[in-house]
Amino acid sequence: MASVTSLSDSVQQHLASALTATLPEAAGSDPLLRRSDRADFQANGILALAKKTKANPRELAVQVVSQVATGDVIADVEVSGPGFLNITIADRAITENLAARYTDESGRLGVPHAEHAGTTVIDYAQPNVAKEMHVGHLRSAVIGDAVVQILEFTGEHVVRRHHIGDWGTQFGMLIQYLDEHPHELDHKAARVTGEEAMSNLDRLYKAARKLFDSDEEFKTRARRRVVDLQAGEPKTLATWQKFVDESKIYFFSVFEKLDMEVRDPDIVGESGYNDMLAETCRLLEESGVAVRSEGALCVFFEDVKGPDGKPVPLIVQKSDGGYGYAATDLSAIRDRVFNLKANSIVYVVDARQSLHFKMVFETARRAGWLGDDVKAFQLAFGTVLGKDGKPFKTREGETVKLEDLLDEAVERATAVVREKAEKVGLTEQEIVENGRYVGVGAVKYADLSTSAVRDYKFDLDQMVSLNGDTSVYLQYAYARIQSILRKAGEARPAAHPELALAPAERALGLHLDRFAETLLEVAASYEPHKLAAYLYQLATLLTTFYDQCPVLKAESPEQVENRLFLVDLTARTLHRGMALLGIRTPGKL
């Protein structure tokens, strides 16, 4: 696809030429262009250049302005303060620039597609086998999925990994308990799937845990069963596989409710690295990165100390020969670097595990598995809180099940959609479908519109509100445009660069021009909340535009076409941006 130059790129080129014409030695200098509230753009680079050349900054700014070619792109340039340049874009340039996006058949809206991008492995959505998913699993799934979509759209080769908890002591405990209490899963066991199967497994897990904690003899038998599992004893392995398979059916059903694709080949749990653990330990010990301490294989760090001031190590192998999470995580890094050829590894994991990952990454660096050519990054996220500001729980004090939370969100959203259904002519099927899109979108957007590292309050009433920074507000903005386009009759969207733009049209057009640069910034920093903020501002500018600029009752047929073109491009941008966040945009709401 031919790339669509943004207005900021065009202005940058004009300023670079003016700087070179004023000071030949300034060739290649950065004009430090940014969006501004005082004008369309502001350039701040002259101050640094004046300091470097020992010139008066304001006088230098005046000289540069005299060299700026105004007309096609830049309508006006003014010197402000000690040497800032305030730049106003020509109306024609705004419309022509947006028209290039609008007519681009790739539908990329000016976003470049990197041809030779790297490979990023993203570790996200990590539920545990034999345990129901709860609200704590929400953020990893939703944030990870958005980052995957955004990176893939910008051209990155993305490998998805779901590091499910499917190994360790709890499975010896679970298998042993089922062996001794076979009747506890035999009722309807052949027929149950999804949520019902998981509820049975969850109940079984709690019963096994209770016995494990209270009965030393059972604990011993369960630990022997872990050894059988690790040795690959056929009967033990077959029971374990049954737990994994039933859990996956449930996981898929929850992710489907979240309107999120999770593929079976991308699920590589803790067990997937089991054969690598011994070699990982050997490599670390032979290289001196890890040392034996009281029988355990440990990695020590200067800056990690306990309350007593003594170093707190990363334990790779326990003194009894068992492997900890660190061994699995380090083996996963080896696999991702050497087998999957990753340039970047992103872990979408709870902020409370930050110290663990800091130590794991540093260990991998010392071992030479991570370096300048391969980077690991923890996209840490905060906690989902209730309205009271405490971790979100049920009235009984239990963690909220993710399915229950999604069901309630869809129920509330469906009620909101139903209120307006008659007015817009929705069928019952459309009410149900849109209720699902609005409900799930509300949950996702509340999460994604918050900086990942911050905690946020889960307030369904606010999430499904038509007012404020909610996905419903954005979805209604999109649906409103579709309604206008349906009512346009024979009038069609068409750009008219010869027309002057009203202030609200200019503001909307300039914001539309920012889509590509916003998306590239989000992809580089793994910050989907910045895309959510961009889309909310777009919907807000659209509301102002509606209030000030009649579309179908504009002054001339050309103005009708130009405004239809502006709102249609806004709709396409909302649709694309929301899709990258994993949120649907129904055409009628």
Side-chain angles (χ1 to χ4, degrees):
M1 127 184 176
S3 108
V4 179
T5 305
S6 69
L7 289 171
S8 58
D9 286 342
S10 297
V11 174
Q12 184 98 1
Q13 289 163 13
H14 277 69
L15 289 180
S17 298
L19 279 170
T20 306
T22 307
L23 276 175
E25 63 268 36
S29 295
D30 187 351
L32 297 180
L33 191 69
R34 62 179 183 84
R35 307 271 175 172
S36 172
D37 295 333
R38 298 174 182 273
D40 297 336
F41 290 94
Q42 188 174 79
N44 301 337
I46 286 175
L47 276 73
L49 191 60
K51 188 176 180 182
K52 188 177 173 183
T53 58
K54 297 184 171 53
N56 178 298
R58 191 170 173 88
E59 288 175 9
L60 181 59
V62 170
Q63 287 178 270
V64 171
V65 167
S66 69
Q67 297 290 338
V68 174
T70 56
D72 289 348
V73 176
I74 297 174
D76 188 39
V77 191
E78 288 181 351
V79 178
S80 169
F84 303 128
L85 300 185
N86 286 341
I87 298 149
T88 303
I89 303 297
D91 287 357
R92 171 178 284 276
I94 294 173
T95 305
E96 285 179 344
N97 189 267
L98 298 180
R101 284 170 171 65
Y102 190 74
T103 54
D104 177 13
E105 291 179 0
S106 73
R108 297 191 58 81
L109 302 169
V111 180
H113 186 273
E115 295 301 324
H116 304 291
T119 295
T120 296
V121 177
I122 300 194
D123 187 326
Y124 69 108
Q126 309 109 344
N128 294 306
V129 167
K131 291 184 187 176
E132 289 178 293
M133 289 176 71
H134 54 77
V135 68
H137 292 111
L138 177 67
R139 301 206 73 186
S140 177
V142 169
I143 296 167
D145 188 52
V147 173
V148 166
Q149 304 299 334
I150 290 163
L151 287 181
E152 286 184 338
F153 188 70
T154 56
E156 185 77 358
H157 174 236
V158 178
V159 179
R160 308 163 192 219
R161 277 292 174 266
H162 308 295
H163 191 89
I164 64 171
D166 67 348
W167 205 245
T169 304
Q170 68 264 36
F171 289 96
M173 173 189 85
L174 203 51
I175 294 164
Q176 187 63 31
Y177 184 85
L178 186 61
D179 215 28
E180 296 176 12
H181 305 80
H183 61 283
E184 296 220 9
L185 263 196
D186 61 7
H187 71 292
K188 303 187 294 181
R191 295 194 306 276
V192 292
T193 57
E195 188 175 4
E196 207 175 4
M198 202 59 192
S199 186
N200 283 337
L201 283 178
D202 198 64
R203 181 177 43 76
L204 189 75
Y205 177 85
K206 286 171 181 170
R209 168 58 69 184
K210 190 175 178 183
L211 189 61
F212 185 86
D213 291 340
S214 62
D215 185 330
E216 284 300 320
E217 290 184 3
F218 174 74
K219 186 181 283 189
T220 302
R221 294 195 299 276
R223 284 185 168 149
R224 267 203 304 267
R225 188 55 73 102
V226 176
V227 176
D228 291 343
L229 179 62
Q230 290 173 338
E233 193 275 313
K235 187 185 170 193
T236 302
L237 210 55
T239 307
W240 170 81
Q241 190 63 55
K242 184 181 174 188
F243 287 146
V244 173
D245 292 343
E246 286 207 357
S247 296
K248 278 186 182 179
I249 292 168
Y250 162 75
F251 297 156
F252 288 132
S253 73
V254 177
F255 290 128
E256 192 176 341
K257 274 191 177 182
L258 255 179
D259 199 13
M260 197 180 125
E261 183 190 36
V262 169
R263 303 177 298 222
D264 196 49
D266 300 333
I267 298 176
V268 183
E270 294 166 353
S271 62
Y273 306 101
N274 202 39
D275 294 344
M276 298 176 68
L277 302 180
E279 188 182 15
T280 294
C281 291
R282 180 181 63 77
L283 290 169
L284 291 172
E285 190 167 12
E286 285 179 0
S287 63
V289 172
V291 295
R292 292 283 167 185
S293 175
E294 297 178 22
L297 185 63
C298 303
V299 182
F300 289 91
F301 308 87
E302 291 281 324
D303 57 344
V304 183
K305 293 183 170 66
D308 57 0
K310 292 181 180 177
V312 176
L314 181 71
I315 299 173
V316 185
Q317 189 177 24
K318 302 170 194 171
S319 55
D320 64 3
Y323 300 103
Y325 289 123
T328 307
D329 288 333
L330 288 162
S331 298
I333 287 176
R334 286 178 54 220
D335 177 63
R336 292 163 187 187
V337 171
F338 300 110
N339 295 334
L340 299 178
K341 309 297 182 190
N343 305 106
S344 304
I345 312 173
V346 179
Y347 292 79
V348 189
V349 182
D350 192 317
R352 288 171 291 190
Q353 295 188 47
S354 292
L355 178 60
H356 169 77
F357 278 100
K358 178 186 172 185
M359 293 196 289
V360 165
F361 295 163
E362 176 57 28
T363 299
R365 270 191 288 274
R366 291 180 188 177
W369 305 332
L370 294 175
D372 291 340
D373 53 341
V374 189
K375 292 190 167 43
F377 177 78
Q378 184 194 355
L379 207 177
F381 57 82
T383 306
V384 181
L385 307 174
K387 289 183 188 180
D388 58 2
K390 296 175 182 173
F392 197 29
K393 305 273 187 184
T394 64
R395 283 178 186 164
E396 293 75 34
E398 293 186 7
T399 307
V400 178
K401 291 181 190 175
L402 186 49
E403 284 205 301
D404 291 349
L405 179 146
L406 293 173
D407 288 344
E408 189 180 351
V410 169
E411 191 180 312
R412 297 271 192 99
T414 304
V416 171
V417 172
R418 195 177 292 281
E419 278 177 29
K420 291 183 174 280
E422 194 175 332
K423 187 178 175 184
V424 293
L426 293 179
T427 65
E428 181 60 27
Q429 185 181 343
E430 286 172 327
I431 292 170
V432 171
E433 190 173 78
N434 290 355
R436 194 168 82 249
Y437 294 155
V438 171
V440 173
V443 170
K444 287 184 174 183
Y445 187 83
D447 192 315
L448 293 169
S449 58
T450 307
S451 172
V453 78
R454 287 177 52 201
D455 300 341
Y456 78 95
K457 290 183 182 178
F458 195 92
D459 182 348
L460 267 181
D461 291 328
Q462 174 56 29
M463 287 179 189
V464 298
S465 169
L466 302 178
N467 303 310
D469 189 4
T470 67
S471 69
V472 194
Y473 177 65
L474 273 63
Q475 287 167 323
Y476 267 98
Y478 177 82
R480 193 174 182 184
I481 295 172
Q482 299 310 311
S483 174
I484 289 174
L485 294 171
R486 284 193 295 271
K487 292 173 184 173
E490 295 191 7
R492 290 285 176 267
H496 285 275
E498 74 279 5
L499 293 178
L501 298 176
E505 289 177 297
R506 294 187 96 260
L508 184 61
L510 286 165
H511 193 67
L512 285 167
D513 174 66
R514 293 182 69 170
F515 182 61
E517 64 193 71
T518 300
L519 206 55
L520 293 178
E521 182 188 339
V522 168
S525 61
Y526 312 124
E527 292 180 304
H529 73 277
K530 290 184 176 177
L531 176 56
Y534 169 88
L535 295 171
Y536 174 60
Q537 193 178 349
L538 181 61
T540 304
L541 289 167
L542 182 70
T543 302
T544 305
F545 168 85
Y546 281 140
D547 292 343
Q548 297 178 10
C549 304
V551 178
L552 301 180
K553 293 182 180 178
E555 292 173 10
S556 67
E558 292 77 18
Q559 197 171 54
V560 170
E561 290 177 347
N562 201 56
R563 287 179 178 173
L564 282 172
F565 146 72
L566 265 178
V567 295
D568 195 15
L569 183 58
T570 300
R572 293 182 189 186
T573 307
L574 280 169
H575 174 76
R576 172 64 73 189
M578 295 284 271
L580 292 172
L581 295 178
I583 300 171
R584 307 263 185 167
T585 42
K588 283 164 74 176
L589 268 180

